Each structure stands twice: as C-alpha cells, then as structure tokens.
Amino acid sequence: MGDLGWIAYPKNGWEEIGEVDENYAPIHTYQVCKVMEQNQNNWLLTSWISNEGASRIFIELKFTLRDCNSLPGGLGTCKETFNMYYFESDDEDGRNIKENQYIKIDTIAADESFTELDLGDRVMKLNTEVRDVGPLTKKGFYLAFQDVGACIALVSVRVYYKKCPSVIRNLARFPDTITGADSSQLLEVSGICINHSVTDEAPKMHCSAEGEWLVPIGKCLCKAGYEEKNNTCQAPSPVSSVKKGKITKNSISLSWQEPDRPNGIILEYEIKYFEKDQEMSYTIIKSKETTITADGLKPGSAYVFQIRARTAAGYGGFSRRFEFETSPVSVAVSSDQSQIPIIVVSVTVGVILLAVVIGFLLSGSCCDHGCGWASSLRAVAYPSLTWRCGYSKAKQDPEEEKMHFHNGHIKLPGVRTYIDPHTYEDPNQAVHEFAKEIEASCITIERVIGAGEFGEVCSGRLKLQGKREFPVAIKTLKVGYTEKQRRDFLGEASIMGQFDHPNIIHLEGVVTKSKPVMIVTEYMENGSLDTFLKKNDGQFTVIQLVGMLRGIASGMKYLSDMGYVHRDLAARNILINSNLVCKVSDFGLSRVLEDDPEAAYTTRGGKIPIRWTAPEAISFRKFTSASDVWSYGIVMWEVMFYGERPYWEMTNQDVIKAVEEGYRLPSPMDCPAALYQLMLDCWQKDRNSRPKFDEIVSMLDKLIRNPSSLKTLVNASSRVSNLLVEHSPVGSGAYRSVGEWLEAIKMGRYTEIFMENGYSSMDAVAQVTLEDLRRLGVTLVGHQKKIMNSLQEMKVQLVNGMVPL
Ligand code: AMP
C-alpha cells in the first residue's frame, strides 16, 4: 500500500491504480493495457530490495491477465505474457541502469485469463506464479516487469527466502539458518549445547533448500547433577515428602523438604490443591518457604495437594498427590469444651496483636519505607510469605499470591505468575534472574532513534555466539544516574524478561557489568504505533487495522493472564515492525502513583495519561486488567482514527468531567459498527461489565474470519451527532477555506489540485462527487472515503456535545 517508489516508463505504460477487492477492501495494483497498439515495451521497476543475506530468493506474483480472444480487433497486437527481470546491486545506486543490463528471470504466462463477462460478475481470475533466483552475490536487487502488449493487473509481488527456523535437537541449539543458493544443497550447521549440557559428539544438522532440518548427527548430554526434560537440562527434581501440620475445619497446613536434587537455587514453590474429585477447580499458591496454610476450605472434606519447585531453569515436575482432610464441624459442645473456642480466639487475637506490635517496631529499623502494619499482618495471615522488608514493599494484595482455576481458566482476579521486581530485596537479583547479561562488545550501536525516560534509544546490531547478527533496539542509561534511576531503568528489563509472547516486546538482555548500562530488545522497524499511523494516514485496509488491534489484544490477554497490569496502554507505547505486527512495550516501574495526590498528575516527565485511563483508576487508583481494557478501547479508537489524539484538544479536567458525566468519544470515521460497539463496551463505567481481553481477542478473530461483518459502518449522521463539535476537526461546517478544511481532515496534500481545478470555495467543494475526486487524481480509496465522508457530514445538522451512554 502507499507510495512504493516504483518507476514506470514510458509514462503512459504501467499505471498505479487503487481498486477494491472482492470484499471491497482497498488494494493497490499496477496495470497496463496497450493491446491495440504495436511495439509495446513498458517497464516497471521496483525499488531496491535487500536480500537480507539470502543467496536464493523467491518471487511470488499475483496478477490478472485479459484473454486476447475477448478483445475485438485486438488479436493482431495483443499478448498474453509479460517478462520478469532482476538486476543485482549492493546499494540503491543501480536505479539508472539500462534495460539490457537486467537479467531475465522468466516469461510469465497466465493459467487463467479473464473475459469482460467475468469482470462484470466481479470474478477476478487471479494467477499466482512463483519463480526463484540464485545464487545472489550482492546485498540486494531490483526487479523489473516488462510488458510487450498485454492487458495485465499486477496485484501483489511477494519476495521471500526460506530458512530453517532455530530449533533445539539432541540438547543442542541450532540457529535460524538461511537455506543455500542451490535448490539441492544441504547446509551443514553446527549446534551449540544448551545450558547445563556438554558435548558428547559434536552436534550437527543439515538445512535443506526447502527450509527443513535433516539428518541430525551427534548430541549433547546433561552435565552431572542435571536431568534431561523437555529438551532442557534445567529443572529441579520433584518434592518427595510432604507432611501435614495443623488442621482445622477450614484450613490445612503443610510442610515439605527441598527436592533431593534441586539443580540450582530454589526460587519458590508452587502448591496446587483441589477438593478431592473436583480437579477441574483448583487453586495455586506460591511460596518461598517450605510451609503453607491452605485456608477457606470446606469442613470435613478431603483435599489433594501437589507441590513443585522453581529454579532459574524453570519448574520441576509436580510431586505425587498427597491427600489430607479438614476437621469436621463439631455438633455438640460440652460445658467445658464450650470455653475452648473463646480461649483459641483470645490466643489468636493475642498472637496477631503481638505480631503486629513486633512488626511495627521492626519496621522502623529494617526498611527505608513502606514496612509496618501491612507486612506484619500479611506475615501472620499468610505464613507462606517471608516476613521481611522485601515483601513489605510489594504493592500487590496478599490475595494476589493465590490463583484459582476452573476448567483450565483462571477463576478469580489477582492471578499472579508475574513476579513484581519490588519483592526482591536486591533489585540486581531480579534483573539477573529474568534478564541475560550481554557483553557490550557483542553490540554495535548504529544510530539514535528516540528519547527514552532514562537516556537515548538507539538502533544497532547484536552478535551472539553461534547466532547470526541481527538488528536490535538499545536503551541506554544516561551518565550521572542515581542508584534509584539505575534500579528503575533495569526494573523495566526485570519485568519484560518475564514475558514471552509474540505481541510483547522481546528482551534480548541487559548490559550491567560495563557502562553505559543498556537494555537490548528486538528491533521494531516501524517504531511507535501512533507516529506510524499518523505518517500513513488512510493507507490501510480495515482488516489490516483490525489485525493490529488483534495483536495488541492478544499481548494484553497474555499480560492479564500473568497478573500484570500495564497502567499505561496507549498507541505510543505499542511498537510495530515491518510486518505490521504490533507489540506491547513500556513496562516502567515508576508509573506507580505516589501518595501525594498532586503527583497523580505528573509522571515520567509528563502528565498521567488521563485520556487513556479508566475513571476508577483516576479517582481511586484502582488499576486492574479491567482498567487496562478501558485503555485498550482508547487504543482501538486511536488506531481506527490513524493516531488522532483522544478528545482532541480538550483539557484533562474537561475529559475527566465529560467521562464522569457519561460522555464517550465518538466513532472514528468509516469505523465498522462492531468495532465502535466494542470500544463502547470497553468504556463501561462499571469495570466488571467491560469485556475481558480473551473475549476481545475472540471477538476480533470472529470479525477477521468474517470480513463482511466489518462492512456495516457507524452511519454518518449518528456519528456526527456524537461529536463534541468545539473539539472536532471534522464536520464543524465552519471552515473558512478549502485549504483549512483539507488540512483539518489531514488531506492538505490535495489543496493545490483542488484550487487549480476550480474548487476554491466551500460552496464549490460541496458539489464534489467521487468521479470528480478520481479525475483530480485522488486515487487512494482511503483518501476518497475520508473526503467524501467529511463532505457528507458537513451537510448534516450538528448537535453540540457528545451523547451520554
Ligand atoms: P521508550 O522509552 O520505550 O518510550 O522509547 C522511546 C522511543 O524509542 C519509542 O517511542 C520508539 O520510537 C523508540 N523505540 C523504543 N524501543 C524500540 C524498539 N524496540 N524498536 C524500535 N524503536 C524503539
């Protein structure tokens, strides 16, 4: 889509034409149809294409070709083929080379051609042809398409290479490997033994031209003390002995021994339990100690427990099942026994008070801040947690240490597999647990691409041992940082390093042993989503936009399943790569609001993101996955509006007031009704009524599978009646000039054409038809729609104010 920068000559040969496909989604094509004229020689040259190190590339063409027999009188000159060429070049200087320097790849003929009748029925007979070229010796190439008198529409050109994807086999890791130049070549690749393993016989595999790994030879073996499991040497052995402790009618206390072979430092235990025969509904508790109390149980019921340990290498296997029973409810109480509950209650209250007092006293001496009552109470109520300052700093409820599942789905909020780095006494330990240390010498910094909170963000390359060099983004910590800044900076890596999902920005590692301190992540070619959308206004199909939203929702589902609340979800915090894959980023710690109510309005050098934040999070700091869903609705709006600022220029105070009074953002232009409805659902005042991220993902999947469901748009008149006119750039009807109007709808690029063609007043513009637009050269369907919709809106009576829900 958009301006590809391809060159056509002569000028009246190949033409770039915007069309719609059978689903009425806009598509771009290059077309030529000079079938009636003799001696045609029309060239279309692509821009330079990097081969990314591949020596054999594949070119897939999709095109339609008109049947010469269907052309009256054209038979003498009409052709049914065209030619494809390439020219290798290390850089973009090869652009001016002559036709005869191009090397022919093939003559392309259609398997299916179409007649006019087919066109009438909108049956486009799309041909797909694939050719390959190799060996390539330079860094890239140009493609060229030569027409000699056919009637062709080139719909897509896909250039790709094949690779054997990185894999672990026989405990050795084999890197991503681009296939060889020759179609029968097998590339021998050496594997590298995974952590905690050593070479037995040098591991090797062969990468075939089709991108398949073949013929593994040799292997690695786990080092002494490590066991092989699921292609790793890494996990602790199961806990083998579990003993019951105190049992009451509602609780069971357990203790256990460390596994015989911990194979590393045990970081925590996971205890899974469920009522006997009710396995589908289970609870998980995490504990750093070897004791826990499961409470809230039914009296006189049997419960099944299983425990597993986690080291830096991951979880070990679960222990065998241990079954214990809670005490039954006592039926009759004798006069002597009747005193017992009172004594027990008194003793318990006494113990709690004592613990609270001790905790209060200790808190003053062991912490900088944040200790005290909460930590003391927590230690009593949840013996599984250590009573130390590290935990007292945790900003999560004790509830969040527990997870409840039903039928494999989490039952209650407060899921917690994400570990808050604040819970570590030593933040360096958290960084090193979750992030790999990278040597600075493996990183090449190329250029500055942005400014982060703590220093510059650069692009560059990372070369890890046994891997091909690949592009990365590098965040640096500026010199002269304080210890707190270093901690907060690396905090982002401690969080990011816990996530592994295609829609979450991937952490490669950190540099902490030398200066500058750096965080290295995967590189996202198109940068942040808001800027990218603004730059490419109107250029994507609805399906492409929904694809982006689906990716973001999927990343957010993963985060909410992990128990991580983002708090700053906005298009500016989404990164997008060259394949238009969106990934959630920005996992700073410092956005936790401080106690000072004024501080709620300043954060990270800017304002708290009022426009993106749910009302309950603004008013009483209730940040949850449901408040992230609200923000997600705002991101949907930003995406469908190509990066427009939510609530335009309204002040934060006006936004808070309007939202509190029940007003909501209006639908973006051309927005499918189903998507706007989803936005409104995300902006429900009652946070429990908002959809969950898994529901959002399923809903978007459904829309993508059934694109016709996206054809019903929010109709223009209802959309306009929702606008807050004073703040809307569109539809106010009060534009003083054509230029001002086109600028307001971000179509300023057409001002000159409009003026030159006599559309110099708003009255004249009001008469413009779609045909006129095409004639003026507005060929992009997205732009045509934008202009036509705005004109239509200007004709509709406006109502001042957004409509209450
Ligand atoms: P941040 O500090 O994460 O907000 O990053 C500041 C800016 O740097 C972003 O707005 C992006 O433009 C750019 N940036 C950050 N991370 C990446 C990345 N992984 N790939 C490409 N650009 C990035």
Side-chain angles (χ1 to χ4, degrees), residues 771-805:
E771 264 312 300
D772 296 333
L773 284 187
R774 290 201 186 112
R775 198 169 39 77
L776 293 179
V778 183
T779 50
L780 289 173
V781 177
H783 291 184
Q784 292 169 355
K785 279 190 183 170
K786 213 165 196 178
I787 293 170
M788 290 313 293
N789 279 341
S790 172
L791 285 173
Q792 195 188 345
E793 281 171 10
M794 279 194 280
K795 293 174 194 162
V796 181
Q797 175 71 43
L798 302 175
V799 179
N800 193 356
M802 289 188 282
V803 162
L805 280 177

Coordinates of all heavy atoms in Angstrom, one line a residue, residues 771-805:
E771 N -16.5 10.7 -8.7 CA -15.9 10.7 -10.0 C -14.9 11.9 -10.1 O -13.8 11.8 -10.6 CB -17.0 10.9 -11.1 CG -17.5 9.6 -11.7 CD -16.3 8.8 -12.1 OE1 -15.5 9.3 -13.0 OE2 -16.2 7.6 -11.6
D772 N -15.4 13.1 -9.6 CA -14.5 14.3 -9.6 C -13.2 14.0 -8.9 O -12.2 14.3 -9.4 CB -15.2 15.5 -9.0 CG -16.5 15.9 -9.7 OD1 -16.5 15.6 -10.9 OD2 -17.4 16.4 -9.0
L773 N -13.3 13.3 -7.8 CA -12.1 13.0 -7.0 C -11.1 12.2 -7.8 O -9.9 12.5 -7.9 CB -12.4 12.3 -5.7 CG -13.1 13.1 -4.6 CD1 -13.2 12.2 -3.3 CD2 -12.2 14.3 -4.2
R774 N -11.7 11.2 -8.5 CA -10.8 10.3 -9.3 C -10.1 11.1 -10.3 O -8.9 11.0 -10.6 CB -11.6 9.2 -9.9 CG -12.1 8.2 -8.8 CD -12.4 6.8 -9.5 NE -13.0 5.9 -8.5 CZ -14.2 5.5 -8.5 NH1 -15.1 5.9 -9.5 NH2 -14.7 4.7 -7.5
R775 N -10.9 12.0 -11.0 CA -10.4 12.8 -12.0 C -9.3 13.7 -11.5 O -8.3 14.0 -12.2 CB -11.6 13.6 -12.6 CG -11.3 14.2 -14.0 CD -12.6 14.8 -14.6 NE -13.5 15.5 -13.7 CZ -13.2 16.7 -13.2 NH1 -12.2 17.4 -13.6 NH2 -14.1 17.2 -12.3
L776 N -9.5 14.2 -10.3 CA -8.4 15.1 -9.7 C -7.2 14.3 -9.3 O -6.2 14.9 -8.9 CB -9.0 15.8 -8.4 CG -10.2 16.8 -8.7 CD1 -10.6 17.3 -7.4 CD2 -9.7 17.9 -9.6
G777 N -7.2 13.0 -9.4 CA -6.0 12.2 -9.1 C -6.0 11.7 -7.6 O -5.0 11.3 -7.1
V778 N -7.2 11.8 -6.9 CA -7.2 11.2 -5.6 C -7.6 9.7 -5.8 O -8.7 9.3 -5.9 CB -8.3 11.9 -4.7 CG1 -8.3 11.3 -3.3 CG2 -8.1 13.4 -4.7
T779 N -6.5 8.9 -5.9 CA -6.7 7.5 -6.3 C -6.8 6.6 -5.1 O -7.4 5.5 -5.2 CB -5.6 7.0 -7.2 OG1 -4.4 7.3 -6.6 CG2 -5.7 7.6 -8.6
L780 N -6.3 7.0 -4.0 CA -6.3 6.1 -2.8 C -7.7 6.0 -2.3 O -8.4 7.1 -2.0 CB -5.4 6.6 -1.7 CG -3.9 6.4 -2.0 CD1 -3.1 7.1 -1.0 CD2 -3.5 5.0 -2.1
V781 N -8.3 4.8 -2.2 CA -9.7 4.6 -1.8 C -9.9 5.2 -0.4 O -10.9 5.9 -0.1 CB -10.0 3.1 -1.8 CG1 -11.5 3.0 -1.3 CG2 -9.9 2.6 -3.2
G782 N -8.9 5.0 0.5 CA -9.0 5.6 1.9 C -9.1 7.1 1.9 O -10.0 7.6 2.6
H783 N -8.4 7.8 1.0 CA -8.5 9.2 0.9 C -9.8 9.6 0.3 O -10.4 10.6 0.7 CB -7.3 9.8 0.1 CG -6.0 9.6 0.8 ND1 -4.8 10.1 0.3 CD2 -5.7 9.0 1.9 CE1 -3.8 9.8 1.1 NE2 -4.3 9.1 2.1
Q784 N -10.3 8.9 -0.7 CA -11.6 9.2 -1.3 C -12.7 9.2 -0.3 O -13.5 10.1 -0.1 CB -11.9 8.2 -2.4 CG -11.0 8.3 -3.6 CD -11.2 7.2 -4.6 OE1 -11.9 6.2 -4.3 NE2 -10.5 7.2 -5.7
K785 N -12.6 8.1 0.5 CA -13.7 7.9 1.6 C -13.6 9.1 2.6 O -14.6 9.6 3.0 CB -13.5 6.6 2.3 CG -14.0 5.4 1.5 CD -13.9 4.2 2.5 CE -14.3 3.0 1.8 NZ -14.1 1.8 2.6
K786 N -12.4 9.4 3.0 CA -12.2 10.4 4.0 C -12.8 11.8 3.5 O -13.6 12.4 4.3 CB -10.7 10.6 4.3 CG -10.5 11.0 5.7 CD -9.0 10.8 6.0 CE -8.9 10.8 7.5 NZ -7.6 10.6 7.9
I787 N -12.6 12.1 2.3 CA -13.0 13.4 1.8 C -14.6 13.3 1.6 O -15.3 14.2 2.0 CB -12.3 13.7 0.4 CG1 -10.8 14.0 0.7 CG2 -13.0 14.9 -0.2 CD1 -10.0 14.1 -0.5
M788 N -15.1 12.2 1.0 CA -16.5 12.1 0.8 C -17.3 12.1 2.1 O -18.3 12.8 2.2 CB -16.8 10.9 -0.1 CG -16.4 10.9 -1.5 SD -16.7 12.4 -2.4 CE -18.5 12.4 -2.5
N789 N -16.8 11.4 3.1 CA -17.5 11.4 4.4 C -17.5 12.7 5.0 O -18.5 13.1 5.6 CB -16.8 10.4 5.3 CG -17.2 9.0 5.0 OD1 -18.3 8.8 4.3 ND2 -16.5 8.0 5.4
S790 N -16.4 13.4 4.9 CA -16.4 14.7 5.6 C -17.4 15.7 4.9 O -18.1 16.4 5.6 CB -14.9 15.3 5.5 OG -15.0 16.6 5.9
L791 N -17.4 15.6 3.6 CA -18.4 16.4 2.8 C -19.8 16.1 3.3 O -20.6 17.0 3.5 CB -18.3 16.2 1.3 CG -17.0 16.8 0.7 CD1 -16.9 16.4 -0.8 CD2 -17.2 18.3 0.8
Q792 N -20.1 14.8 3.4 CA -21.4 14.4 3.8 C -21.8 14.9 5.2 O -22.8 15.4 5.4 CB -21.5 12.8 3.8 CG -22.9 12.3 3.8 CD -23.0 10.8 4.0 OE1 -21.9 10.2 3.8 NE2 -24.1 10.3 4.3
E793 N -20.8 14.8 6.1 CA -21.0 15.2 7.4 C -21.3 16.7 7.5 O -22.1 17.2 8.3 CB -19.8 14.9 8.3 CG -19.8 13.5 8.7 CD -18.5 13.0 9.3 OE1 -17.7 13.9 9.7 OE2 -18.4 11.8 9.5
M794 N -20.6 17.5 6.6 CA -20.8 18.9 6.7 C -22.3 19.3 6.3 O -22.8 20.3 6.6 CB -19.8 19.6 5.8 CG -18.5 19.8 6.4 SD -17.5 20.9 5.6 CE -16.8 19.9 4.3
K795 N -22.9 18.4 5.6 CA -24.3 18.7 5.2 C -25.3 18.3 6.3 O -26.5 18.5 6.1 CB -24.6 17.9 3.9 CG -23.8 18.4 2.7 CD -24.0 17.5 1.5 CE -23.0 17.7 0.5 NZ -22.9 16.7 -0.5
V796 N -24.8 17.6 7.3 CA -25.8 17.2 8.3 C -25.8 18.2 9.5 O -24.8 18.8 9.8 CB -25.3 15.8 8.9 CG1 -26.2 15.3 9.9 CG2 -25.1 14.8 7.7
Q797 N -27.0 18.3 10.0 CA -27.2 19.2 11.1 C -26.3 18.7 12.3 O -26.4 17.5 12.7 CB -28.7 19.2 11.5 CG -29.0 20.0 12.8 CD -28.9 21.4 12.5 OE1 -29.4 22.0 11.5 NE2 -28.3 22.1 13.5
L798 N -25.5 19.6 12.9 CA -24.7 19.1 14.0 C -25.3 19.4 15.4 O -26.1 20.3 15.6 CB -23.4 19.9 14.0 CG -22.6 19.7 12.7 CD1 -21.4 20.6 12.7 CD2 -22.2 18.3 12.5
V799 N -25.0 18.5 16.3 CA -25.6 18.6 17.6 C -24.4 18.9 18.5 O -23.4 18.1 18.4 CB -26.3 17.4 18.1 CG1 -26.8 17.5 19.5 CG2 -27.4 17.1 17.1
N800 N -24.5 19.9 19.3 CA -23.3 20.2 20.2 C -23.3 19.3 21.4 O -24.2 19.2 22.2 CB -23.5 21.6 20.7 CG -22.2 22.1 21.3 OD1 -21.2 21.3 21.4 ND2 -22.1 23.3 21.7
G801 N -22.2 18.5 21.5 CA -22.0 17.7 22.7 C -22.0 16.2 22.4 O -22.7 15.8 21.5
M802 N -21.2 15.5 23.1 CA -21.2 14.0 23.0 C -22.4 13.5 23.6 O -22.9 14.0 24.5 CB -19.9 13.4 23.6 CG -18.7 13.8 22.9 SD -17.3 12.9 23.5 CE -16.9 13.8 25.0
V803 N -22.9 12.4 23.1 CA -24.1 11.8 23.6 C -23.8 10.9 24.8 O -22.9 10.1 24.8 CB -24.8 11.0 22.5 CG1 -25.8 10.1 23.0 CG2 -25.4 12.0 21.5
P804 N -24.6 11.1 25.9 CA -24.4 10.2 27.1 C -24.7 8.8 26.7 O -25.6 8.5 25.9 CB -25.4 10.7 28.1 CG -26.0 11.9 27.6 CD -25.7 12.0 26.1
L805 N -24.0 7.9 27.3 CA -24.3 6.4 27.1 C -25.7 6.1 27.6 O -26.1 6.6 28.7 CB -23.3 5.6 27.8 CG -21.9 5.4 27.1 CD1 -21.0 4.6 27.9 CD2 -22.1 4.8 25.7

